[in-house]
Amino acid sequence: MNKLLKHAVNTTSFYKEFADYECLEDFTVIDKNIIRDYYEDFKSSLHKNKNNYSAYTSGSTGTPFKLLHDNNKRDRNSADVIYFAKKAGFEIGHKLYYIRQWDEYNSPKPWISKIQNIYKHPVSKLSKPDLENLLQDMAKDKSSKGIMCYASVLDEMMSYLESTNNKPKIKNIKSVIAISESLKENVRISMENYFGIPVVSRYSNVENGILAQQNLGSRDFQINWASYFIEILDMHSNAPAKPDALGRIIVTDLYNYCMPMIRYDTGDVGQFSVTNNNGEQHITLKRVEGRKLDMISNTKGEMMSPFLVYHILKYPHIIQYQFIQENQNAYKIKLNVSSKFNSAQDIVTEFKQHLGSDADINLEYVNDIPLLSSGKRKFVINNYNETLEQAKV
């Protein structure tokens, strides 16, 4: 940490004003917007003419964001990937069925995919015939294999498997890792029963790397302290969040010297937990709940977990859903349903109990919930939070 902070204040224009720092908390909290606005100032003078690598993401909002990594940072990320993959059951040499949005920024060249034994499946192809063919291909493949995909892909797989009696028997699945989105507990249980192994959730981003991952058989996330220092700050200030309270996840990247990221607000929300392991205490992430802007609030303005939306899963004949908060007391639930659906009033009544009796809940029936440009499908959107954040700016 000290080495990184000294490097940042001595070689970047942005951090030089913090040269008299005494501790990490003396540095300001930054976010994507600050990095965009002062992009050149974040670059280290020692790395400007070196061979650096672009880490590009469209982000969950569709707003592009690019950061530079130096060689050592790139190697560090590779080491993290190998380490955390192994903890999930994946070994180098296993075939990896990787289901995500593949584009010009993240698609390795075909020969690299072949060497790394990666089967690239586009997230845009998740129709019933697509999933049937994919699972049949896995069943025919007798080699040791792993699956890595957005959590919502497992949701689609579960729905497909529940709709068919012809479930392919897939052997030698060694690992299943859900990324990018919150993994629903009912989906985890269903897919563990199907694949016969634990499913773990990984918390990572493109601009940094693997920040935390669940251990096999655990719901807590082991934090990647070796590569990052993580803080949980209050939702509305830069003070530490209260014990056992949700807060903003703040990351200091210990290995990117090309463009140092100190106290970077990821936009995600999480909660620390203290666990005991053989008499030693470890700080883990008990919860990771995605972007702060996608947290929802009740009609009193009290912050609530987006997981409350999953109550809708108890109602039959719902194919897809999306929950949208429009303002403090107005909510929209988009539903793609079958002809047998008859739970509309029950859903409105239940969500009024959770959100407030004065909640204005509108059900909108659609034929599909489209994917974002990132290839992910958002189950919860908070337009009200977005408006409030823009007003602050």
Side-chain angles (χ1 to χ4, degrees):
M1 174 74 78
N2 288 331
K3 184 179 177 183
L4 170 77
L5 299 184
K6 288 177 182 178
H7 167 81
V9 300
N10 289 323
T11 70
T12 72
S13 298
F14 184 85
Y15 288 114
K16 67 180 181 181
E17 66 176 278
F18 303 100
D20 295 329
Y21 74 92
E22 294 183 359
C23 61
L24 178 66
E25 288 74 16
D26 291 335
F27 287 77
T28 188
V29 175
I30 62 171
D31 58 20
K32 285 185 174 73
N33 291 327
I34 291 176
I35 295 175
R36 287 193 191 99
D37 292 344
Y38 299 93
Y39 193 78
E40 293 299 320
D41 292 341
F42 276 91
K43 293 181 179 179
S44 168
S45 59
L46 298 182
H47 289 266
K48 283 188 176 180
N49 297 318
K50 292 186 178 181
N51 187 24
N52 301 310
Y53 301 90
S54 296
Y56 175 94
T57 174
S58 62
S60 54
T61 60
T63 303
F65 180 66
K66 183 179 78 170
L67 201 79
L68 297 178
H69 290 173
D70 54 66
N71 272 315
N72 189 54
K73 168 63 179 175
R74 202 182 196 203
D75 289 344
R76 185 72 189 191
N77 278 1
S78 295
D80 284 343
V81 168
I82 293 169
Y83 173 81
F84 280 97
K86 187 172 183 177
K87 287 185 71 67
F90 184 88
E91 299 277 357
I92 292 177
H94 289 180
K95 187 168 187 176
L96 179 63
Y97 285 83
Y98 200 171
I99 309 168
R100 59 163 298 166
Q101 172 76 3
W102 295 104
D103 55 34
E104 58 182 303
Y105 300 105
N106 60 38
S107 291
K109 294 179 180 179
W111 66 271
I112 294 179
S113 296
K114 186 174 182 179
I115 289 175
Q116 295 179 337
N117 208 9
I118 297 175
Y119 181 101
K120 297 187 299 182
H121 187 89
V123 72
S124 58
K125 293 186 176 181
L126 291 179
S127 66
K128 284 189 176 182
D130 292 328
L131 287 171
E132 180 180 6
N133 291 333
L134 176 63
L135 294 174
Q136 289 290 355
D137 286 344
M138 290 183 188
K140 294 175 184 176
D141 184 352
K142 306 303 180 184
S143 66
S144 296
K145 61 187 75 69
I147 298 173
M148 185 180 296
C149 61
Y150 301 145
S152 57
V153 171
L154 296 180
D155 202 329
E156 298 285 345
M157 280 190 185
M158 182 188 75
S159 297
Y160 165 73
L161 291 168
E162 288 178 348
S163 69
T164 180
N165 293 321
N166 185 27
K167 298 178 177 62
K169 290 181 172 56
I170 302 175
K171 297 182 179 179
N172 288 328
I173 290 281
K174 304 298 183 181
S175 61
V176 181
I177 301 174
I179 61 173
S180 295
E181 303 156 329
S182 296
L183 178 62
K184 302 172 192 172
E185 190 62 19
N186 68 312
V187 175
R188 180 203 299 273
I189 293 171
S190 175
M191 299 315 295
E192 286 182 345
N193 288 335
Y194 175 62
F195 289 120
I197 61 169
V199 175
V200 304
S201 185
R202 173 180 290 176
Y203 173 45
S204 63
N205 61 31
V206 174
E207 56 267 37
N208 298 123
I210 298 177
L211 301 174
Q213 181 177 290
Q214 291 173 334
N215 289 320
L216 293 173
S218 172
R219 298 298 184 261
D220 284 354
F221 289 77
Q222 175 188 334
I223 297 172
N224 185 3
W225 293 112
S227 295
Y228 308 97
F229 185 81
I230 292 181
E231 303 170 79
I232 303 290
L233 299 187
D234 183 78
M235 290 288 196
H236 307 292
S237 73
N238 290 335
K242 294 179 180 179
D244 297 324
L246 278 171
R248 296 145 50 221
I249 298 177
I250 311 298
V251 172
T252 295
D253 191 327
L254 301 177
Y255 285 89
N256 191 1
Y257 278 53
C258 174
M259 289 186 73
M261 298 180 77
I262 299 168
R263 306 197 81 193
Y264 169 64
D265 189 333
T266 62
D268 298 323
V269 173
Q271 177 185 347
F272 276 148
S273 177
V274 179
T275 60
N276 289 297
N277 186 2
N278 296 324
E280 294 184 358
Q281 287 191 333
H282 298 273
I283 298 176
T284 61
L285 280 172
K286 182 177 182 180
R287 296 159 68 185
V288 179
E289 299 202 353
R291 298 172 67 238
K292 177 188 174 187
L293 291 179
D294 291 335
M295 297 291 288
I296 61 176
S297 58
N298 60 21
T299 58
K300 296 178 181 178
E302 298 168 337
M303 197 73 74
M304 306 188 75
S305 169
F307 281 98
L308 107 82
V309 176
Y310 295 165
H311 284 291
I312 205 167
L313 296 173
K314 71 178 71 169
Y315 297 100
H317 312 303
I318 295 177
I319 301 169
Q320 295 172 313
Y321 69 92
Q322 186 178 67
F323 182 96
I324 304 171
Q325 181 165 7
E326 300 289 13
N327 59 45
Q328 184 163 325
N329 67 342
Y331 309 85
K332 179 191 295 182
I333 303 177
K334 291 186 176 182
L335 294 174
N336 176 8
V337 301
S338 72
S339 58
K340 296 181 180 179
F341 175 75
N342 63 353
S343 305
Q345 189 54 53
D346 293 336
I347 290 173
V348 171
T349 299
E350 172 162 1
F351 276 83
K352 279 180 175 285
Q353 293 173 357
H354 296 300
L355 299 168
S357 59
D358 57 338
D360 179 13
I361 300 173
N362 174 42
L363 302 186
E364 179 182 327
Y365 298 96
V366 298
N367 293 322
D368 184 43
I369 306 293
L371 297 174
L372 297 173
S373 59
S374 63
K376 304 169 190 175
R377 179 176 281 112
K378 295 187 72 171
F379 298 104
V380 181
I381 297 174
N382 195 322
N383 293 330
Y384 179 52
N385 275 354
E386 194 98 33
T387 302
L388 292 179
E389 291 295 320
Q390 290 172 356
K392 291 179 184 178
V393 177

